[in-house]
Amino acid sequence: MIITDWPNAVAHIDADYFFANCELARKPELRGKPVMVLGKLGSCILAKTPEAKQAGITTAMPLWDAKKACPKGIYIHGDFRYYTILSRYLMSLLGEWSPVLEIYSVDEAFMDLKGLRGLYRMPYNRIADRIREEIKNRIGITVSVGVSVNKTLAKVACELNKPDGTTMVPGRAISDFLSTIPVGDIPGIGRSRSELLFKYGIKSAQQLAETSQNLIQRWFGKTGVLLWRELRGETSFPIQKDSPPPKSIARTSSFDKPHTNLQVVHGMATYHLERAIEALYRHHLLVKEFALYLREKSFMTYGLKHRFESPTNDFYELVKALSKTIKNMPSNRIWRSTGVILSHLSPSCGQQLNLFEDPKKIECQDELNQAKLDLNKRFGRTTVRSGATLFISKKYTINKERLDLPLF
DNA sequence: TCTGGGGTCCTAGGACCC
DNA sequence: TCTGGGGTCCTAGGACCC
């Protein structure tokens, strides 16, 4: 266990009920009301204000249950482009406070505070408060901040005074702090690990921190030991400034209701493939393995795979792979969702050509793909698109705006 | 809590080789 | 024909996160 207060200083900044908070930022008249943001097809709750939480609403609750629990609630279809813009604004403001910032998710970041006391001439807790105030004033949303000696402890601390609060856990306070935290509240300890720990009578985070390393290794392997070290005040997970390129790209969604029409499955999967290719280009990546993702009404899930001979980002090659894969689908099933997953990704610069590929042809394909993406960026995602998506007719989609498709 | 749409990492075990 | 011991690579699936 460490004995000094600030061998390192890490802040975890977490936007409170982010999507719902974004809605309050542009519709202040909704403040104080139970506001909920819904997923793509309005099927479940993605975010809720404290007032909705009080009414018994939980995240991922299906819409019909939510309406029973909170009939007078305000239900809003998620506007994810808007949330992304606010997220970028939030991160850029945080970046002004410290150059060492890790963007952890759309609504969370870690910041290295070490050395900033001298720079700003104020203690860490004051810096945290100032950050919260600035975000509230300039973006109109509230965030909570936890400050401790590493990422895990800062993250756990952040949860304690939500919303709109600062929580400090200096080195000497770690033990007392952890004795008040249930093991299940530690990031990295989910349901199954909690259950195992409970069997051994380990209920608080402090008890876990005092368990022998050998036991931790046996129960949870390498990652468990890294986490255990963080609970003891050491640093296993340094702040990572630059986010690495993705290892897989998935684009999926549920249908408005389960159905059996293969052309619609094909159309939806093609639509998602086009979205996935956009991401592939954005990250300058090539894909070696394509999977058609399918989920039955019963939640039975399939990933039908196709391997490319050499990594590609070519639209037509991917569309062909999808068409081929569709033919291997189990028949006579009722489908609930579909999409695509691109994996085994590699950087597109310095692409290795195999002996049979014509560099000129690849160059032409690339220009064509790029032109398609540029047109769609300027005039809307579906300006140039695969004919297969024509099969997603109005009959199968309830909300045109959500899909962003010109439906007929 | 009968269930969105994304992701990551680790591990066990099979295939294959010398 | 039967049998070692050691190594690597790959994949499926579990557990976890927001």
Side-chain angles (χ1 to χ4, degrees), chain A residues 109-405:
Chain A
F110 291 100
M111 185 189 286
D112 190 355
L113 297 185
K114 188 113 206 220
L116 298 189
R117 283 187 295 198
L119 184 65
Y120 296 118
R121 298 180 192 285
M122 53 177 107
Y124 291 135
N125 64 322
R126 187 74 195 113
I127 295 176
D129 288 342
R130 284 283 298 276
I131 289 174
R132 286 194 301 106
E133 282 160 27
E134 185 179 308
I135 290 165
K136 210 187 310 178
N137 293 337
R138 290 177 63 182
I139 310 184
I141 66 169
T142 61
V143 302
S144 297
V145 183
V147 181
S148 190
V149 299
N150 61 37
K151 293 203 311 194
T152 303
L153 293 169
K155 190 164 161 59
V156 177
C158 186
E159 292 298 317
L160 239 64
N161 285 304
K162 267 185 157 297
D164 199 15
T166 298
T167 308
M168 307 295 295
V169 181
R172 271 186 280 253
I174 294 174
S175 285
D176 287 344
F177 170 69
L178 289 184
S179 59
T180 67
I181 304 292
V183 275
D185 289 359
I186 302 166
I189 305 292
R191 218 180 71 182
S192 115
R193 290 175 175 177
S194 285
E195 279 172 13
L196 180 89
L197 290 171
F198 263 61
K199 279 188 199 150
Y200 288 94
I202 296 169
K203 297 196 171 105
S204 77
Q206 175 59 13
Q207 284 174 288
L208 184 61
E210 283 170 356
T211 303
S212 80
Q213 185 177 343
N214 279 345
L215 272 180
I216 300 288
Q217 169 72 41
R218 202 155 79 210
W219 291 337
F220 306 132
K222 193 172 138 192
T223 39
V225 173
L226 294 176
L227 186 60
W228 174 80
R229 291 217 159 106
E230 289 244 322
L231 291 180
R232 297 164 70 86
E234 297 167 38
T235 298
S236 307
F237 311 120
I239 297 178
Q240 288 180 307
K241 222 184 131 187
D242 303 303
S243 48
K247 306 225 159 121
S248 66
I249 294 171
R251 292 294 180 271
T252 63
S253 71
S254 304
F255 299 108
D256 57 334
K257 56 177 179 249
H259 68 85
T260 54
N261 187 326
L262 284 193
Q263 281 180 323
V264 175
V265 174
H266 193 168
M268 268 301 229
T270 307
Y271 167 71
H272 286 304
L273 177 60
E274 301 202 7
R275 294 172 59 218
I277 294 172
E278 282 174 30
L280 202 61
Y281 264 78
R282 206 166 47 242
H283 292 286
H284 307 287
L285 294 169
L286 301 173
V287 53
K288 181 94 181 167
E289 191 173 277
F290 162 90
L292 170 63
Y293 167 93
L294 291 161
R295 181 170 256 186
E296 276 191 64
K297 193 184 170 196
S298 64
F299 282 89
M300 178 74 198
T301 307
Y302 306 82
L304 305 182
K305 289 180 178 169
H306 175 89
R307 262 299 167 106
F308 296 107
E309 284 195 9
S310 55
T312 182
N313 58 4
D314 181 49
F315 175 73
Y316 296 97
E317 205 175 338
L318 281 151
V319 164
K320 259 194 310 197
L322 169 60
S323 303
K324 212 173 125 189
T325 316
I326 286 263
K327 297 199 178 94
N328 299 328
M329 269 173 68
S331 51
N332 302 322
R333 308 295 168 95
I334 305 172
W335 303 108
R336 125 184 311 269
S337 53
T338 189
V340 303
I341 301 168
L342 309 182
S343 61
H344 298 74
L345 307 177
S346 55
S348 57
C349 49
Q351 178 179 0
Q352 293 264 330
L353 298 177
N354 84 31
L355 283 173
F356 307 103
E357 278 170 330
D358 174 6
K360 194 80 192 158
K361 188 178 154 203
I362 294 207
E363 204 179 301
C364 288
Q365 280 172 352
D366 207 47
E367 270 177 38
L368 192 59
N369 287 324
Q370 195 60 58
K372 169 179 181 286
L373 292 170
D374 289 346
L375 279 169
N376 288 350
K377 199 170 175 187
R378 282 178 65 190
F379 303 111
R381 174 173 283 151
T382 54
T383 308
V384 184
R385 64 191 168 109
S386 162
T389 59
L390 291 170
F391 287 108
I392 322 175
S393 74
K394 204 167 192 166
K395 194 172 156 196
Y396 297 105
T397 47
I398 53 167
N399 191 327
K400 182 178 158 185
E401 289 73 35
R402 296 271 71 69
L403 271 173
D404 203 15
L405 286 171

Side-chain angles (χ1 to χ4, degrees), chain A residues 52-65:
Chain A
K53 191 176 177 180
Q54 226 169 13
I57 304 297
T58 57
T59 301
M61 188 184 246
L63 180 57
W64 48 86
D65 289 345

